[in-house]
Amino acid sequence: LHNGGLAYFEEILHSLPSLRRLTLRLIGPQIYRGMVKQGVINEEALYWVPCALCQEKGIQFVHTPHAALFHDYMKKGSAVAGTDEGPVPRWPDLAVMFNSGMGLNCFKKSDWSPTLEALAENGVPTLCTSFLERESEEDEDYLTRHRCNIVIKRHKNPWRSEVLTKMVFMRKHFFTYNGFVQGFRGLREV
């Protein structure tokens, strides 16, 4: 979010002209990183100003940040369901894990394990992006070990950032945000 804010998500509305309402739940323990610096809110990252076309169409774009791990967010929401604290959380129509690095610690469980298991067990279509091809291979191995049913093979993301970023401590290597993408839905039969 800190590299362009919510305007990036407006592209979804432009790509799907029949969509009139988009609800985003931005969930992650570090979701506020880049949104608030030295106590000052980055307005561009937190608030959406619709373009003229979206205003004219009456498009609704609802978004809320939640500083929690996804599986904890869903568990907490289920625990307060039926109380006056809020509605039962719905499983998303689509989950996206942007540049998660989930496969970097490929030989041990990570914070992503319970989230992957929850998404797969509940059949939530999930896209996973990564910076580098090597990282996407590690993510694929990680998804496979968690029995995720991969339905979109990893490949170069056609919607990746066009900005190349130099890798720290490397002379000739660059990466791009969301450079590679793959997707899963449900659990793979064993």
Side-chain angles (χ1 to χ4, degrees):
L1 286 178
H2 58 279
N3 291 326
L6 294 167
Y8 283 133
F9 294 101
E10 187 173 33
E11 289 300 316
I12 295 171
L13 297 167
H14 293 175
S15 298
L16 301 169
S18 63
L19 188 64
R20 294 288 180 243
R21 179 185 171 97
L22 177 64
T23 302
L24 291 178
R25 301 283 181 247
L26 305 163
I27 304 170
Q30 299 176 349
I31 193 70
Y32 290 107
R33 192 177 78 205
M35 285 195 230
V36 179
K37 290 185 179 176
Q38 298 171 346
V40 178
I41 294 174
N42 177 351
E43 300 282 327
E44 183 180 298
L46 279 177
Y47 302 107
W48 177 60
V49 178
C51 70
L53 181 63
C54 288
Q55 282 180 347
E56 182 182 304
K57 289 177 148 184
I59 300 293
Q60 292 182 318
F61 182 34
V62 178
H63 61 283
T64 54
H66 305 275
L69 295 169
F70 177 80
H71 58 278
D72 291 337
Y73 168 79
M74 291 302 288
K75 215 181 303 179
K76 180 183 178 208
S78 296
V80 298
T83 68
D84 293 335
E85 293 185 43
V88 177
R90 287 185 37 215
W91 287 98
D93 296 323
L94 175 70
V96 183
M97 300 162 65
F98 294 106
N99 304 307
S100 70
M102 71 177 117
L104 294 177
N105 296 317
C106 59
F107 297 110
K108 63 179 187 176
K109 277 196 157 196
S110 74
D111 290 342
W112 284 108
S113 295
T115 292
L116 286 176
E117 291 162 5
L119 290 167
E121 287 169 5
N122 287 282
V124 176
T126 305
L127 294 174
C128 309
T129 71
S130 53
F131 296 110
L132 305 167
E133 185 171 19
R134 174 189 48 80
E135 184 183 4
S136 71
E137 292 167 3
E138 292 167 349
D139 288 353
E140 180 181 31
D141 291 343
Y142 199 73
L143 293 171
T144 301
R145 270 196 316 285
H146 282 81
R147 295 184 37 241
C148 296
N149 182 32
I150 297 174
V151 294
I152 299 174
K153 301 285 184 206
R154 64 182 164 78
H155 62 278
K156 195 173 269 192
N157 186 355
W159 297 283
R160 67 191 174 279
S161 171
E162 294 180 1
V163 177
L164 287 176
T165 304
K166 187 172 183 325
M167 293 177 69
V168 179
F169 306 121
M170 304 291 255
R171 292 182 55 189
K172 300 179 183 178
H173 298 282
F174 295 84
F175 70 89
T176 181
Y177 286 91
N178 306 306
F180 290 81
V181 65
Q182 58 193 309
F184 71 89
R185 182 176 194 168
L187 292 169
R188 181 175 34 85
E189 296 296 323
V190 191

